[in-house]
Amino acid sequence: MADNPQTPPVRGRPLSPHLSIYKWPVTMATSITHRMTGIAISAGMVLVAWGLIALASGPELYQPFTAALANPVGLIVLFGFLWSLTYHFLNGIRHLAWDLGYGFEVPTANRTGVFVMALSVLISAGAFAYAWWMLSKSVPI
Amino acid sequence: MSLETPLHRVQGLGSAHSGVKHFWRERVTAAALIPLSLWFVFSVLLFVGKTESEIAAYFQHPWNALLMATFVIVTCVHMMLGLQVVIDDYVHHPGQRIVLLLLNRAFAWLVGGLSLVALLRLVGG
């Protein structure tokens, strides 16, 4: 196709404000976090499969699996997986309640959103601290 | 006058060619995963500080083997449905979308299949 000989001049038109300049409402933040944690858990399922394969194959595969989880990067990944699972679990219940017609009013949805966010951090941090404490008790360093 | 065939009208699916099946299956698997994921997380917390043979013995118990298999299957179905929505929403190029949707299916089958085969080997000894 031939080029248009009368190229229209490009003028700096005013743009409508984009997503990035708006203040994030609670419901928007919890919604995008639900998706991101869902993707994170999907990646985490690779760890679950790896763990089962390692367990079924014996020490020569189980040792590298536990070694990979025990180092700092592994622990961060593990905590990310645990928090994602906790958040997606709690927010999923919030979604199911919405589907049944409960809690969809904006003030309620905002309150349950903040609640779910805080509770997910609290529970996953608590569970991680418990695991850490159990480990320090059982393995003499 | 409608050009719709009677069959098309009674199916009530419109141009999307599918109804609420995806939505409904996502909710059903979500509800099933409430007890299943609780069981999974509590099981993993129980494994902390345990030896390899103790963890293997845990999965060799019939109830735990059944729960783990169910957890893996339901999670993979829920994962496949959820990731499908993400791809449908954000990937606008039809070719890329179809490739990603197929890869999504393959990923769910691979992760689920590998987990189940490992679990069977573990239980079978």
Side-chain angles (χ1 to χ4, degrees):
Chain A
M1 200 188 290
D3 286 335
N4 183 357
Q6 292 177 313
T7 313
V10 181
R11 269 181 270 177
R13 300 283 188 195
L15 286 170
S16 143
H18 277 290
L19 218 56
S20 54
I21 78 156
Y22 288 114
K23 182 174 179 283
W24 277 35
V26 175
T27 43
M28 179 172 150
T30 52
S31 172
I32 193 73
T33 310
H34 196 71
R35 289 207 158 173
M36 290 191 311
T37 51
I39 294 168
I41 297 162
S42 305
M45 285 308 286
V46 175
L47 275 186
V48 174
W50 183 16
L52 283 172
I53 292 166
L55 208 54
S57 308
E60 71 279 4
L61 277 188
Y62 189 74
Q63 293 302 332
F65 173 68
T66 49
L69 290 184
N71 76 63
V73 178
L75 287 174
I76 291 169
V77 168
L78 215 52
F79 181 74
F81 187 21
L82 179 64
W83 174 73
S84 297
L85 204 57
T86 313
Y87 177 86
H88 203 85
F89 178 91
L90 295 172
N91 201 54
I93 292 173
R94 184 163 162 257
H95 270 279
L96 288 175
W98 284 345
D99 293 335
L100 295 170
Y102 298 105
F104 214 60
E105 306 78 21
V106 174
T108 315
N110 283 341
R111 242 181 299 126
T112 53
V114 173
F115 179 70
V116 156
M117 203 54 108
L119 195 62
S120 68
V121 173
L122 218 64
I123 290 177
S124 50
F128 213 66
Y130 165 80
W132 196 282
W133 175 68
M134 286 294 287
L135 211 59
S136 65
K137 245 183 25 170
S138 66
V139 184
I141 302 164
Chain B
M1 191 191 82
S2 170
L3 293 175
E4 251 184 343
T5 62
L7 176 65
H8 190 256
R9 196 177 66 247
V10 83
Q11 281 175 330
L13 298 177
S15 59
H17 306 297
S18 72
V20 294
K21 202 164 130 196
H22 180 284
F23 175 92
W24 184 243
R25 288 217 302 163
E26 205 173 26
R27 312 300 131 152
V28 171
T29 50
L33 280 170
I34 294 176
L36 286 171
S37 53
L38 272 180
W39 170 83
F40 174 72
V41 169
F42 277 108
S43 300
V44 172
L45 282 178
L46 221 65
F47 296 161
V48 176
K50 292 274 164 61
T51 63
E52 185 189 345
S53 53
E54 283 173 321
I55 298 171
Y58 182 85
F59 284 119
Q60 278 158 1
H61 188 282
W63 282 116
N64 291 334
L66 177 65
L67 281 165
M68 189 60 194
T70 315
F71 170 76
V72 166
I73 293 168
V74 179
T75 300
C76 284
V77 172
H78 188 79
M79 174 175 93
M80 197 172 74
L81 296 169
L83 290 179
Q84 186 187 329
V85 177
V86 175
I87 295 166
D88 280 337
D89 280 358
Y90 301 132
V91 183
H92 303 304
H93 186 277
Q96 286 175 359
R97 186 167 60 238
I98 288 168
V99 170
L100 281 174
L101 286 173
L102 289 173
L103 286 176
N104 173 39
R105 298 249 151 183
F107 177 70
W109 278 95
L110 189 69
V111 169
L114 284 175
S115 301
L116 288 180
V117 169
L119 195 61
L120 280 176
R121 266 188 72 183
L122 194 57
V123 173

